[in-house]
Amino acid sequence: MTEFLEQINKYNQLTKEAEKDFLSRLKTKSFKKGEFINKEGQICKQLYFIEKGLVKQYYHHKDRLFVLRFFSENTIFTVLDSFINQMPADFLTVALEDTNLIYIDYDNVQELSKIDHSFETFLRKIFSNAALYNLKRIKEMFNNDATELYVSFAKNNPHLLQRISLGDIASYIGISQVTLSRIRAKK
Amino acid sequence: MTEFLEQINKYNQLTKEAEKDFLSRLKTKSFKKGEFINKEGQICKQLYFIEKGLVKQYYHHKDRLFVLRFFSENTIFTVLDSFINQMPADFLTVALEDTNLIYIDYDNVQELSKIDHSFETFLRKIFSNAALYNLKRIKEMFNNDATELYVSFAKNNPHLLQRISLGDIASYIGISQVTLSRIRAKK
DNA sequence: ATGATTTTTTAACATAGGTAAAAAAAGATT
DNA sequence: AATCTTTTTTTACCTATGTTAAAAAATCAT
């Protein structure tokens, strides 16, 4: 469980009391490859940390599938739209490999953020980060054609390249699998 | 100056002391149409509130111009990438109309967030919001063809439609002005 | 009002990427 | 090893949108 705490402390060092309190509220859950961590329409009530494994967060639109993001080891994640406002999720999250999660429930996050300033600061920073990640994504989608997007994905995620199918990578980039295959064909 | 505070209290109600402290740190500045609030490469050291006016935040890439976002009256904004990490900005912000801003300096934001829990919570919420806004934007860029993007922009920003040029709207949607003109031509 | 500037529209042409279906390759199952 | 399943590649065809250039329309300034 302490890996989750370590990751949080990289965003903002918690006080000793907050650390203890935080650890006491954690739970764990495992998912087999192909199992869903959440489905659309459900309200996401957990903030997760991936101890081991790989998940894909995505949604469907007009018969196409779009991947918002992959999360792998040592990453904190949640279903952003659903967790923040406790509304039904637009997205699905599925395990691409056998995955072990550590998590804390929404109510506990709320409580901790109220009683502990250092935990609130952690939340501020992790959400700032999410905003910046999404901003970077928007810029990339604007800037680049399919070839550049693939090259950029490959460069930024060398460790994931071998673990994720071409189809899923295409869905992340926002192009069809055929197009991605074409891109790779011409060296 | 109190409009800025009111807006903050909509995100999270500050304590009386924090309110007073916050107000004492505010300054104002006016920009004529066409003047720059910031340019790329500069570090953004302010969190702004628009009392009156309209600004466009954008950047250049390969001879094209992309608009990230328009901000109008009663909106809190900053140069996200630059403000959060105090790094040189990738973006420019220009006044599309004569604009009056109220603002607080980065150092004051930092100080307030350290000494006051309610202000930190405000920051957490405004950055969560920015993350969600950007997420929604990504989804829209994925989902829709140019026509749908325009219809959606028009629906979500009826008040801005008359104030922003077609070229700027096209740059926000991520299409050429010619394409946008075509879209409007076929009813 | 008149001319100057900016914005919007139209036209002609080029191209990136979508769809569908089949072939090939890789991986899993018995 | 042989079969079944999934993933990736290839082909043919089509459409949306980019580019460039120019005309038309609208807006602004003197």
Side-chain angles (χ1 to χ4, degrees):
Chain A
M1 316 282 252
T2 56
E3 308 99 298
F4 193 174
L5 179 58
E6 275 169 39
Q7 197 60 32
I8 287 181
N9 280 334
K10 282 185 193 162
Y11 285 93
N12 190 59
Q13 178 68 50
L14 300 189
T15 61
K16 283 290 156 227
E17 311 84 68
E19 285 194 336
K20 209 179 141 194
D21 195 351
F22 172 73
L23 286 173
S24 75
R25 297 171 194 254
L26 295 181
K27 300 178 194 166
T28 62
K29 194 158 183 194
S30 292
F31 295 84
K32 287 267 162 222
K33 175 176 175 172
E35 285 183 342
F36 286 88
I37 286 103
N38 82 286
K39 290 203 175 180
E40 57 191 329
Q42 291 175 203
I43 295 175
C44 173
K45 295 191 177 301
Q46 283 91 28
L47 183 68
Y48 300 103
F49 172 83
I50 306 191
E51 191 185 85
K52 171 183 150 312
L54 176 64
V55 308
K56 158 174 98 170
Q57 202 162 81
Y58 69 102
Y59 67 99
H60 293 283
H61 183 79
K62 294 183 188 164
D63 288 331
R64 286 182 71 186
L65 184 161
F66 297 96
V67 173
L68 283 151
R69 197 161 169 183
F70 301 103
F71 298 99
S72 60
E73 290 82 5
N74 294 311
T75 309
I76 296 170
F77 81 98
T78 186
V79 187
L80 204 63
D81 64 330
S82 178
F83 184 81
I84 288 179
N85 295 319
Q86 291 293 285
M87 300 278 287
D90 288 344
F91 311 128
L92 301 93
T93 311
V94 67
L96 293 183
E97 300 172 358
D98 293 354
T99 297
N100 301 332
L101 300 178
I102 308 174
Y103 67 92
I104 176 169
D105 286 319
Y106 178 82
D107 292 341
N108 282 318
V109 170
Q110 284 295 99
E111 243 182 89
L112 260 172
S113 75
K114 270 197 189 119
I115 58 183
D116 188 83
H117 196 141
S118 71
F119 190 79
E120 181 73 283
T121 302
F122 151 69
L123 288 179
R124 189 245 295 172
K125 291 193 176 170
I126 200 167
F127 287 130
S128 303
N129 240 44
L132 289 179
Y133 180 93
N134 288 339
L135 186 60
K136 208 175 140 197
R137 189 98 204 266
I138 290 168
K139 263 192 78 173
E140 231 178 47
M141 289 171 74
F142 266 144
N143 290 342
N144 304 131
D145 62 23
T147 304
E148 290 171 307
L149 285 170
Y150 175 66
V151 170
S152 163
F153 179 85
K155 201 183 96 195
N156 292 321
N157 306 282
H159 52 299
L160 293 183
L161 257 200
Q162 297 79 12
R163 292 163 77 182
I164 300 175
S165 80
L166 264 203
D168 278 341
I169 292 175
S171 300
Y172 177 87
I173 294 174
I175 61 178
S176 72
Q177 185 179 340
V178 175
T179 299
L180 183 49
S181 197
R182 269 194 286 243
I183 286 167
R184 306 213 309 174
K186 45 179 164 163
K187 212 174 37 61
Chain B
M1 316 280 250
T2 55
E3 308 99 299
F4 193 174
L5 179 59
E6 275 169 38
Q7 198 59 33
I8 288 181
N9 281 334
K10 281 185 192 163
Y11 284 94
N12 191 58
Q13 178 67 51
L14 299 189
T15 62
K16 281 291 156 231
E17 311 84 69
E19 283 192 336
K20 208 178 142 196
D21 195 351
F22 172 73
L23 286 173
S24 75
R25 297 171 194 254
L26 294 181
K27 300 178 193 166
T28 62
K29 193 159 185 194
S30 291
F31 295 84
K32 287 267 163 223
K33 175 175 175 172
E35 286 182 341
F36 287 87
I37 287 104
N38 82 287
K39 291 203 174 179
E40 56 192 330
Q42 291 175 204
I43 295 176
C44 173
K45 295 191 178 301
Q46 283 91 28
L47 183 68
Y48 300 103
F49 172 84
I50 305 190
E51 190 185 88
K52 171 181 152 308
L54 175 63
V55 307
K56 157 174 99 169
Q57 201 162 82
Y58 68 103
Y59 67 99
H60 294 283
H61 183 79
K62 293 183 188 164
D63 287 332
R64 287 182 71 186
L65 184 163
F66 298 95
V67 173
L68 283 151
R69 197 162 169 180
F70 301 103
F71 297 99
S72 60
E73 290 83 6
N74 293 311
T75 309
I76 297 170
F77 81 97
T78 186
V79 188
L80 204 63
D81 63 331
S82 178
F83 184 81
I84 288 178
N85 295 319
Q86 290 292 286
M87 302 278 287
D90 288 344
F91 311 128
L92 300 93
T93 312
V94 68
L96 293 184
E97 301 172 357
D98 292 355
T99 297
N100 301 333
L101 299 180
I102 308 174
Y103 67 92
I104 175 169
D105 285 319
Y106 177 82
D107 292 341
N108 282 318
V109 170
Q110 283 296 98
E111 242 181 270
L112 260 172
S113 75
K114 269 197 190 120
I115 58 184
D116 188 82
H117 196 141
S118 72
F119 191 79
E120 181 72 285
T121 301
F122 152 69
L123 288 178
R124 189 245 297 172
K125 290 191 176 170
I126 200 168
F127 287 130
S128 303
N129 241 43
L132 289 179
Y133 180 93
N134 288 340
L135 185 60
K136 208 175 142 198
R137 188 100 203 266
I138 292 168
K139 262 191 80 173
E140 232 178 46
M141 289 171 75
F142 266 143
N143 289 344
N144 303 131
D145 62 23
T147 304
E148 290 171 307
L149 285 169
Y150 176 67
V151 170
S152 164
F153 179 85
K155 201 183 95 194
N156 293 322
N157 306 281
H159 52 299
L160 294 183
L161 257 200
Q162 297 79 12
R163 292 164 75 183
I164 301 174
S165 79
L166 263 204
D168 277 342
I169 293 175
S171 299
Y172 177 87
I173 294 174
I175 62 177
S176 72
Q177 185 181 338
V178 176
T179 300
L180 183 48
S181 196
R182 269 195 287 244
I183 285 168
R184 304 211 310 175
K186 46 179 165 163
K187 215 179 25 64

